[in-house]
Amino acid sequence: MNVLVINAGSSSLKYQLIDLTTQEVHAKGNCERIGIEGSFITHSEHGGETERTPAPFPTHRDASEYVLDLITGLGLSIDGIGHRVVQGGWYFPKSVVVDDEVLAKVREVAPLAPLHNYVEADVVDAMRAAMPEVGNVVVCDTSFHYSMPETSWRYALPRDVCDRLHIRKYGAHGTSHRYIWRATNEFTHGETHKLISLHLGSGSSLCAIEDGKSMDTTMGLTPLDGLIMGTRTGTVDPATVFYLERVGGYTVDEVDTMMNKQSGLLALSGISSDTRDIEAGAEKGDENCIIALEMFGYRTAQLTLEMAQAMEGFDTMAFSAGIGENSPLCREKICERLAWQGVRIDKEKNAVRSGEVRDITGEGSSVRVLVVPTNEELMIAYDVQELLG
Ligand code: AMP
């Protein structure tokens, strides 16, 4: 079965055509700068070289039609289409096959993720129009966290306000955390029961997963909450917002931009949101880079234990995403701070680079520590197979 997986971001559209029988990726690419001057596409086929071609993408619809032309040109069947949707709101505890009602709901909850849901719905629309005979499935990043107990998802705000405005913890990265659980469980032959999944990338979140169920997660109503991220603050005292507006004279939009795009590791290091640059800066003795890495390690360790409380313990930690998979230094900094809990990693194993699931647990460790490359696209494709296969 060949599944086309589409991941539409605010100004990008990533895609993969995956053969689920062999797990081969027949083609993949990314349309970038959609709606911005200088838009282009990067595309590769059968693991070959990536070609970059300028292409006009005034809208996500244009980009998706362009992608469909490329993919149909391969002469392979498309047996189902899976769409990543960032926010499922209060509607989607599971992935679903798209009909008009589903699409209306994706748009209805869009005020919770306005940069994503509207364009994602447009792309689903375009695919349905272009290939009416092929089924579409939406896979929401929030669905996995539906299993959280009320003690995790409810906010201590007035009930009527929460009910009217649907305010609660939704979490994010659910598709990734679900994949990380699946891959971890496979690797440990079912020995994992209480997993801390650490999705550490340009956006980062932790998830407490007990026997496959999300019990708590660090992102909240929006993906701004929790860990220190590339350009996002993570958790700060909410009153900081009022103070910035009342005393600092910033508008709501300016605070939004500051907290989402100008904060996090970028603000701390003063040079970059990319941990590769920050690690290089720290190596040269840059004090701001050193504190940025220390704070990242401290906050991640701190929230790891917050997640552990949701399960009253943990037996496995799984590092994933750009930083979690590729930065031995960040893994070491996080685990060092958890040494008092008995967490140990093996220095040599931690230094190994590979695309495989690997065990980096040190001798005498209280928990198993793994590196688990995430694969949200494959998870989405599995859902399509389950619902349409
Ligand atoms: P993601 O959002 O999962 O694609 O992660 C992207 C981030 O991963 C980048 O912004 C970097 O901060 C980080 N990253 C990627 N490769 C490395 C590496 N080799 N060492 C340290 N950090 C890395």
Side-chain angles (χ1 to χ4, degrees), residues 14 173 199-204 230 265 272-279 320-330 353 374 376:
K14 293 186 194 137
H173 291 145
H199 178 113
L200 308 176
S202 45
S204 298
L265 293 171
S272 172
S273 61
D274 191 316
T275 40
R276 283 167 288 203
D277 301 332
I278 302 170
E279 286 180 16
S320 196
I323 299 171
E325 291 167 32
N326 300 305
S327 173
L329 183 66
C330 286
R353 290 185 189 275
T374 191
E376 287 159 275

Side-chain angles (χ1 to χ4, degrees), residues 56 293 358:
L293 291 178
R358 53 203 187 275

Side-chain angles (χ1 to χ4, degrees), residues 238-256 258-259:
T240 312
V241 178
F242 324 142
Y243 188 79
L244 281 166
E245 285 174 36
R246 290 196 191 116
V247 181
Y250 293 94
T251 64
V252 176
D253 287 343
E254 283 168 346
V255 176
D256 189 333
M258 183 192 297
M259 291 192 165

Side-chain angles (χ1 to χ4, degrees), residues 3-25:
V3 177
L4 177 59
V5 176
I6 300 205
N7 180 351
S10 49
S11 65
S12 66
L13 188 145
K14 293 186 194 137
Y15 58 91
Q16 286 192 10
L17 183 68
I18 304 175
D19 181 340
L20 274 175
T21 318
T22 58
Q23 297 201 356
E24 187 193 345
V25 177

Side-chain angles (χ1 to χ4, degrees), residues 142-253:
T142 46
S143 297
F144 185 55
H145 303 301
Y146 250 71
S147 52
M148 289 188 295
E150 190 170 350
T151 42
S152 295
W153 61 255
R154 186 173 279 288
Y155 286 162
L157 282 164
R159 275 178 187 271
D160 60 325
V161 176
C162 291
D163 291 349
R164 183 163 51 86
L165 295 170
H166 303 284
I167 294 171
R168 54 166 282 169
K169 179 185 276 196
Y170 290 103
H173 291 145
T175 311
S176 174
H177 289 303
R178 189 152 57 99
Y179 180 84
I180 294 165
W181 164 262
R182 185 181 168 129
T184 299
N185 205 39
E186 230 172 73
F187 186 80
T188 65
H189 305 290
E191 279 177 13
T192 298
H193 295 288
K194 296 183 179 189
L195 171 69
I196 307 283
S197 170
L198 300 100
H199 178 113
L200 308 176
S202 45
S204 298
S205 72
L206 306 184
C207 186
I209 308 175
E210 186 163 5
D211 290 324
K213 282 190 177 167
S214 168
M215 300 299 286
D216 204 348
T217 189
T218 54
M219 284 178 169
L221 175 77
T222 75
L224 185 57
D225 205 1
L227 294 165
I228 296 170
M229 296 174 236
T231 60
R232 286 173 243 170
T233 50
T235 306
V236 290
D237 178 349
T240 312
V241 178
F242 324 142
Y243 188 79
L244 281 166
E245 285 174 36
R246 290 196 191 116
V247 181
Y250 293 94
T251 64
V252 176
D253 287 343

